[in-house]
Amino acid sequence: MPYSHAHYGGNLVDGAYGLGMFGDVATEMMIWTDGDEGLFAGYSAVEFLAPIQAGDVVEATGTIVRIGNRSREIAFEARVVCRANADRGPSAADVLDPPIPVTRAHGTVVVPQTVV
């Protein structure tokens, strides 16, 4: 997480940053499964579980939990897997075991109707 994304005291990053990552995850998933980027229709739930800090390494994942005719419901999670440790030096970081879940969400993506 670049320090340029920190907007708040304590080098905190806006929680919505994780939602942007989820959009990228959904796009890749739809290309793999449907051959089209699809369009994000909306979120049915969003939970901000812990802060994201500048210097964090964050991974985001998605799992398709429902497939409709044109819609795909996806469960997302973002986790901090590494965190900067300025006490040890300006570029020091620690691997977090276990990772820290920071954001969870459920969203729906719509893909075009396939013409056969």
Side-chain angles (χ1 to χ4, degrees):
M1 190 64 52
Y3 281 85
S4 62
H5 283 69
H7 292 287
Y8 305 103
N11 285 324
L12 295 181
V13 174
D14 187 346
Y17 190 88
L19 299 182
M21 292 177 68
F22 294 161
D24 292 341
V25 169
T27 297
E28 182 179 353
M29 291 176 76
M30 293 307 96
I31 292 170
W32 278 101
T33 60
D34 291 275
D36 191 277
E37 293 180 354
L39 293 172
F40 215 109
Y43 289 101
S44 58
V46 175
E47 298 175 89
F48 298 107
L49 306 168
I52 299 172
Q53 300 173 356
D56 284 350
V57 176
V58 180
E59 71 177 17
T61 59
T63 302
I64 297 173
V65 295
R66 189 187 61 76
I67 297 175
N69 290 332
R70 293 183 48 220
S71 64
R72 313 291 182 253
E73 185 179 339
I74 305 171
F76 298 99
E77 183 172 87
R79 294 170 296 282
V80 175
V81 295
C82 300
R83 180 156 276 168
N85 186 340
D87 293 340
R88 290 193 299 111
S91 61
D94 299 317
V95 174
L96 302 180
D97 186 22
I100 300 170
V102 290
T103 311
R104 286 193 189 115
H106 273 79
T108 301
V109 178
V110 177
V111 295
Q113 188 97 28
T114 304
V115 179
V116 181

